[in-house]
Amino acid sequence: MAGRRDGRALLGSGLLAVTLLGGAGGYGAGLLTTTGTATAQGQAGPLAAVSPQPSTPTASPTPTVIPKKIVPDNSPALQADDLYYKTRSFTATSVVRSSVSVRVPGNWTLTQPDPPTLGRFTDPTSKRWIRIEAGFTIRRPPAESMAARVKDLGSVPKNQQVTILSSEIDPKTQNATLVYTYVPEQTVRHVIVRWVANEDGLCHFEMATTGLPQDKSALLAVLDRATDSSTRSDSPL
């Protein structure tokens, strides 16, 4: 069983998704669907009858990105002091079968995709959740997974307005934490993704909490509790 590392990732200034549930096992896959971008294409002009004339490239029109109209969600903020926690268990299956134990808010409901590569615990309003992914091969440090995710975020459609707020690596635990916002529809979502290191400094969990901007303090508290309590035990498929 891979043990957990104590300690919390430090956040700087004040982390898309799923849906935001798309991650790929701590290996930095983008959480939103990406699309290609248009490029300029040159087209040669005809030569004049008397003397050569320089060709004039014709640029393809650049698609106009229409900003989304943001509609604020003024729901009361999630309060960390109002949360109570329970130890919950689930199995994540991908390259290996991971038996996962973690403390999360007691009244948040567990759902899993098919195949069950992760466990997602969602609050009663369905506006906040924590996603915990395992079952992947443990082979690279959290910093590399975070760097790959940041690169993928650069390919997200511009109208989703991704804004990276901070990216930090805890020097003690080697946990990597990425904080950003984005607009999947019309409401801004606040996301904190953490790649959790084992005793060897390699990523054995990818976790993400998602909610409203006013929930950020409570989302961090939920993520910290999950980070400090999570255990993973692997077996072959």
Side-chain angles (χ1 to χ4, degrees), residues 136-196:
F136 52 85
T137 304
I138 301 173
R139 65 183 183 188
R140 74 181 187 185
E144 290 187 20
S145 293
M146 182 170 70
R149 179 62 52 80
V150 170
K151 181 178 179 180
D152 287 338
L153 291 180
S155 301
V156 172
K158 298 299 183 184
N159 67 350
Q160 297 207 21
Q161 303 177 46
V162 175
T163 301
I164 294 178
L165 303 179
S166 67
S167 57
E168 299 288 337
I169 300 171
D170 188 312
K172 180 179 179 181
T173 65
Q174 300 304 306
N175 295 341
T177 304
L178 181 66
V179 184
Y180 62 92
T181 59
Y182 81 112
V183 185
E185 295 178 354
Q186 290 184 302
T187 302
V188 176
R189 303 292 293 169
H190 187 89
V191 184
I192 313 174
V193 181
R194 180 170 293 161
W195 293 268
V196 183

